[in-house]
C-alpha cells in the first residue's frame, strides 16, 4: 500500500454495469462530449447498440488514451436523461464504492497527481 492508499478501496474500475437493452433508449457520451476541464458538454439519447462502454448515472468517466487522459478529459456523469448509458470505448468507468462519495472520486480524477500516476500505469500502443 502506498502513502496514498489503494485505489480499489474507494472505487471499482470498469465495473460490470447493466448494459442498456439493445434498441432501447440510452444516454450516449462520446469523447467529444467531455472537455479537458472535466465537464460534460453534451449527452445524446439514442437507441443502445452493441460495442460501447456501459455506465450508469453517478459514474466517473476518464479517458484511457493519450493525449486525452493527460489533458484531463473525463466527466462525472450525473443527472443523465436515461440512467443507463453507453459511451466511447476510449473511456475507463470508475464507480465509487458504497463508502466513498462519487463527487470525491470525480474530484480525485481531476488532480495532476492522479493523471500522472495513471499515465505511469499505461501499457501498449492502442
Amino acid at each position: 500500500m502506498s502513502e496514498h492508499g489503494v485505489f480499489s478501496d474507494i472505487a471499482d474500475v470498469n465495473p460490470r454495469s447493466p448494459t442498456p437493452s439493445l434498441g432501447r433508449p440510452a444516454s450516449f457520451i462520446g469523447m467529444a462530449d467531455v472537455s479537458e476541464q472535466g465537464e460534460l458538454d453534451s449527452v445524446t439519447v439514442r437507441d443502445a447498440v452493441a460495442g460501447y462502454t456501459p455506465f450508469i448515472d453517478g459514474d466517473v468517466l476518464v479517458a484511457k488514451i493519450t493525449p486525452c487522459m493527460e489533458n484531463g478529459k473525463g466527466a462525472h456523469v450525473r443527472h443523465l436523461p436515461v440512467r443507463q448509458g453507453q459511451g466511447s470505448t476510449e473511456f475507463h468507468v470508475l464507480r465509487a464504492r458504497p463508502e466513498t462519495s462519487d463527487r470525491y472520486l470525480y474530484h480525485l480524477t481531476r488532480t495532476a497527481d492522479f493523471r500522472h500516476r495513471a499515465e505511469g500505469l499505461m501499457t501498449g500502443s492502442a
Side-chain angles (χ1 to χ4, degrees):
M1 185 162 173
S2 77
E3 66 186 66
H4 296 284
V6 179
F7 191 73
S8 61
D9 287 345
I10 64 167
D12 294 319
V13 179
N14 299 320
R16 293 200 127 190
S17 294
T19 303
S21 299
L22 299 182
R24 303 283 302 170
S27 295
F28 183 84
I29 300 172
M31 189 62 72
D33 298 323
V34 299
S35 74
E36 292 179 359
Q37 291 72 40
E39 300 295 324
L40 184 56
D41 293 333
S42 65
V43 177
T44 305
V45 175
R46 65 185 206 187
D47 290 345
V49 296
Y52 287 102
T53 301
F55 56 84
I56 59 172
D57 197 86
D59 285 345
V60 176
L61 303 179
V62 175
K64 64 171 146 176
I65 60 166
T66 60
C68 295
M69 187 275 297
E70 292 94 338
N71 293 339
K73 280 232 180 203
H76 187 190
V77 294
R78 300 181 343 163
H79 312 296
L80 295 172
V82 179
R83 186 174 192 283
Q84 290 182 326
Q86 294 184 304
S88 169
T89 58
E90 298 170 342
F91 286 127
H92 281 299
V93 176
L94 307 179
R95 184 165 303 142
R97 298 192 52 99
E99 60 280 356
T100 303
S101 161
D102 55 339
R103 246 356 238 168
Y104 171 80
L105 181 60
Y106 164 71
H107 286 289
L108 179 65
T109 67
R110 302 298 312 141
T111 66
D113 187 50
F114 175 87
R115 289 195 307 273
H116 178 72
R117 288 173 177 275
E119 182 181 359
L121 296 172
M122 293 178 114
T123 60
S125 61

